[in-house]
């Protein structure tokens, strides 16, 4: 099944005017008479809807080095390290870190973000802090919060009670981590318990699922089966699904039909998956990413997240969703001419479907949210990861970036350097 064409592309490459009144797009046409209204001249540059972060952890962001760095760089040491950091967390410290990161998001045009928040904390510091930040940033960066029992729903003492408490406090998505439970049976039971809660409260679900190289980690099938059984198609997300990289093709072919029936949303985290998976391999080493190419080709909605920035699991990152799409293009071998734009969709339109956003896009009636990129096309944006010339939220410019100027001084070559596409000769 071909991937649906993004709705926001108004007529391929033809430049258009976009009319905004108040917080809404009221007209998209070749030429709009602005009748004295103020104007932003895009000068033929690429205007897109804002970037969307489908999978993030705001509670741990920018905490790298506290109380120590991750010596091995592994996922398991990251979880241990997070356990060491948790008792040291304060609301003020977390608020400051997360707020700083959200400022980076706005500057780079990421205006929607889904963050998991660890509920395996008797003080629920993250839940309290991120609920406050969600309100503070509403209308600038819209944040969806996922109640995430990081240390295992059945493995961590009182995790079920703490998760229920977080949902009572207003967390809007139910999370999970079935592959981290002690046994397969416990993992399955955790999915059932979590789906019960989501169904009863009419909430979306987004579970860390099969984030391992173990081909026998097959919780995606349980998650999808439960989605169908409860009639929750399209409202359930499997995040990571990295074990799918390692399963045999026969099993994948069978699983794919179930994922389609469930309209399971899939979120891959290319930077972190590449870095963390395959750690027990010698050579060849697995890439550790889910089967993005095959899933998209089969019509499964796939979007991308950064997962982590400068925290116990991932020491790098700036919050640029184009960096994520660029990495995915390479790691998933999505370089076909029809495939390249799909990597851009995975951090924009496909991500909007994952989060269930309404009013998203550059069409009449949508919220007036957009990013003006210093690029001539989507492919050009992926190639150069350009400056965000203007970031627009609800009709207002909320950030601007001046592109860097590179000037060559060498004899005979002196002049500005810009990475334009070469003219065909
Ligand atoms: Fe995560």
């Amino acid at each position: 099944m071909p991937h649906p064409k993004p709705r926001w592309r108004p007529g391929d490459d033809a430049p258009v005017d976009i009319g905004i009144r108040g917080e809404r797009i009221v007209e998209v046409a070749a030429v709009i008479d602005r009748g004295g209204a103020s104007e932003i001249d895009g000068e033929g540059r690429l205007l897109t809807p804002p970037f969307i972060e489908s999978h993030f952890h705001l509670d741990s962001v920018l905490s790298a080095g506290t109380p120590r760095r991750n010596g091995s760089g592994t996922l398991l040491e990251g979880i241990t390290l997070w356990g060491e950091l948790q008792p040291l967390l304060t609301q003020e410290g977390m608020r400051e870190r997360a707020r700083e990161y959200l400022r980076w998001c706005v500057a780079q045009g990421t205006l929607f973000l889904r963050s998991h928040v660890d509920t395996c904390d008797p003080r629920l510091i993250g839940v309290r802090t991120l609920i406050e930040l969600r309100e503070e940033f509403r209308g600038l960066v819209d944040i969806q919060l996922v109640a995430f029992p990081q240390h295992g729903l059945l493995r961590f003492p009182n995790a079920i009670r703490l998760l229920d408490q977080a949902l009572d406090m207003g967390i809007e998505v139910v999370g999970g981590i079935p592959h981290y439970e002690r046994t397969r049976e416990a993992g399955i039971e955790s999915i059932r318990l979590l789906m019960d809660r989501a169904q009863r409260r009419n909430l979306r679900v987004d579970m860390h699922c099969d984030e391992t190289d173990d081909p026998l980690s097959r919780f995606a099938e349980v998650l999808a089966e439960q989605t169908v059984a409860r009639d929750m198609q399209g409202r359930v997300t499997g995040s990571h699904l990295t074990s799918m990289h390692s399963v045999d093709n026969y099993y994948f072919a069978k699983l794919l039909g179930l994922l389609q029936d469930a309209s399971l949303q899939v979120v891959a985290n290319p930077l972190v998956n590449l870095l963390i998976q395959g750690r027990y391999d010698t050579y060849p080493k697995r890439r550790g990413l889910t089967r993005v190419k095959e899933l998209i080709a089969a019509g499964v909605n796939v979007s991308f997240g950064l997962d982590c920035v400068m925290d116990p699991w991932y020491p790098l990152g700036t919050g640029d969703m184009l960096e994520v799409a660029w990495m995915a293009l390479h790691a998933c071998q999505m370089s076909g001419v029809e495939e390249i734009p799909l990597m851009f969709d995975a951090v924009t339109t496909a991500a909007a479907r994952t989060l269930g956003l309404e009013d998203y896009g550059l069409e009449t009636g949508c919220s007036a949210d957009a990013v003006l990129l210093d690029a001539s096309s989507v492919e050009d944006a992926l190639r150069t990861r350009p400056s965000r010339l203007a970031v627009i939220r609800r009709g207002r410019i909320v950030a601007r970036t001046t592109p860097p100027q590179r000037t060559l001084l060498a004899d005979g070559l002196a002049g500005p350097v810009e990475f334009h596409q070469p003219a065909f000769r």
Side-chain angles (χ1 to χ4, degrees):
M1 187 198 298
H3 194 73
K5 221 170 187 253
R7 292 165 64 238
W8 52 269
R9 261 179 225 152
D12 292 334
D13 294 333
V16 292
D17 284 352
I18 294 180
I20 296 172
R21 187 174 301 128
E23 297 185 352
R24 298 258 150 209
I25 295 173
V26 293
E27 190 179 359
V28 179
V31 179
I32 298 175
D33 178 6
R34 64 191 176 99
S38 63
E39 185 176 22
I40 304 167
D41 186 355
E43 296 179 343
R45 307 275 81 194
L46 179 68
L47 189 77
T48 76
F51 296 111
I52 301 172
E53 166 63 86
S54 293
H55 184 114
F56 201 72
H57 295 263
L58 277 174
D59 47 7
S60 58
V61 71
L62 306 187
S63 68
T66 313
R68 61 182 176 85
R69 296 291 302 273
N70 185 332
S72 62
T74 59
L75 172 62
L76 293 181
E77 185 174 344
I79 295 177
T80 305
L81 187 46
W82 176 240
E84 292 171 26
L85 173 58
Q86 263 181 326
L88 309 175
L89 294 174
T90 64
Q91 265 191 271
E92 298 69 40
M94 188 185 293
R95 189 184 303 120
E96 208 172 294
R97 288 188 283 102
R99 187 189 274 143
E100 177 62 10
Y101 184 74
L102 290 167
R103 295 180 73 245
W104 297 5
C105 289
V106 177
Q108 297 182 96
T110 302
L111 302 184
F112 299 90
L113 179 147
R114 177 180 278 182
S115 176
H116 297 252
V117 49
D118 189 357
T119 55
C120 290
D121 166 18
R123 299 180 298 162
L124 290 176
I125 291 262
V127 173
R128 293 177 211 288
T129 308
L130 296 189
I131 285 176
E132 281 177 22
L133 272 182
R134 183 181 65 189
E135 300 317 311
E136 181 185 334
F137 276 81
R138 198 181 287 283
L140 183 58
V141 182
D142 285 353
I143 301 168
Q144 278 185 7
L145 295 176
V146 186
F148 173 46
Q150 167 83 70
H151 299 291
L153 187 75
L154 298 174
R155 190 169 162 171
F156 187 80
N158 298 318
I160 296 176
R161 183 178 57 74
L162 289 165
L163 183 123
D164 284 338
Q165 206 178 324
L167 296 175
D168 289 342
M169 288 164 71
I171 301 286
E172 62 264 69
V173 182
V174 177
I177 186 163
H179 59 276
Y180 192 67
E181 303 291 353
R182 295 281 191 193
T183 63
R184 172 162 175 82
E185 289 69 27
I188 293 170
E189 178 62 10
S190 80
I191 292 176
R192 288 216 185 92
L193 290 167
L194 291 162
M195 293 294 279
D196 279 347
R197 278 152 177 78
Q199 192 175 22
R200 205 179 315 131
R201 294 173 185 254
N202 193 26
L203 299 176
R204 287 176 179 267
V205 173
D206 187 340
M207 293 196 200
H208 286 65
C209 192
D210 300 329
E211 188 184 3
T212 161
D213 295 318
D214 176 7
L216 297 178
S217 183
R218 294 181 172 187
F219 293 107
E221 69 181 19
V222 182
L223 188 61
E225 185 274 328
Q226 285 285 302
T227 301
V228 174
R230 295 165 191 263
D231 214 11
M232 291 174 65
Q233 287 89 338
R235 295 172 57 79
V236 176
T237 297
S239 277
H240 293 292
L241 304 184
T242 54
S243 74
M244 207 184 291
H245 189 94
S246 300
V247 301
D248 68 64
N249 291 339
Y250 183 90
Y251 174 73
F252 177 71
K254 175 172 177 258
L255 176 64
L256 189 55
L258 179 55
L259 302 184
Q260 287 169 321
D261 288 348
S263 296
L264 195 81
Q265 309 285 348
V266 171
V267 175
N269 297 294
L271 291 129
V272 167
N273 294 156
L274 279 172
L275 196 70
I276 283 181
Q277 301 303 315
R279 288 290 179 127
Y280 292 87
D281 292 358
T282 52
Y283 287 94
K285 283 180 190 280
R286 283 168 285 185
R287 287 160 193 246
L289 262 160
T290 197
R291 300 193 184 196
V292 169
K293 187 189 277 275
E294 292 75 12
L295 289 167
I296 292 179
V300 175
N301 191 53
V302 178
S303 60
F304 298 146
L306 254 161
D307 200 4
C308 302
V309 167
M310 298 180 78
D311 73 2
W313 294 274
Y314 186 68
L316 308 177
T318 63
D320 183 356
M321 295 312 295
L322 276 178
E323 209 170 78
V324 177
W326 180 87
M327 182 62 84
L329 188 155
H330 291 79
C332 306
Q333 300 180 331
M334 293 291 283
S335 53
V337 68
E338 297 287 334
E339 291 173 331
I340 291 172
L342 300 177
M343 298 295 89
F344 195 90
D345 298 347
V347 292
T348 53
T349 49
R353 285 193 286 276
T354 303
L355 269 63
L357 300 182
E358 293 168 1
D359 309 347
Y360 176 89
L362 297 184
E363 291 183 339
T364 302
C366 291
S367 180
D369 308 325
V371 183
L372 184 63
L373 294 162
D374 190 13
S376 57
S377 66
V378 162
E379 188 169 330
D380 211 30
L382 285 165
R383 184 176 65 88
T384 63
R385 299 171 311 287
S387 299
R388 322 295 131 101
L389 300 173
V391 179
I392 299 161
R393 185 73 217 262
R394 296 187 175 178
R396 274 188 319 127
I397 297 181
V398 293
R400 280 189 185 280
T401 300
T402 307
Q405 290 193 343
R406 308 172 188 92
T407 307
L408 206 63
L409 305 176
D411 290 344
L413 296 170
V417 180
E418 291 173 3
F419 303 131
H420 291 316
Q421 278 180 301
F424 182 75
R425 282 181 224 279

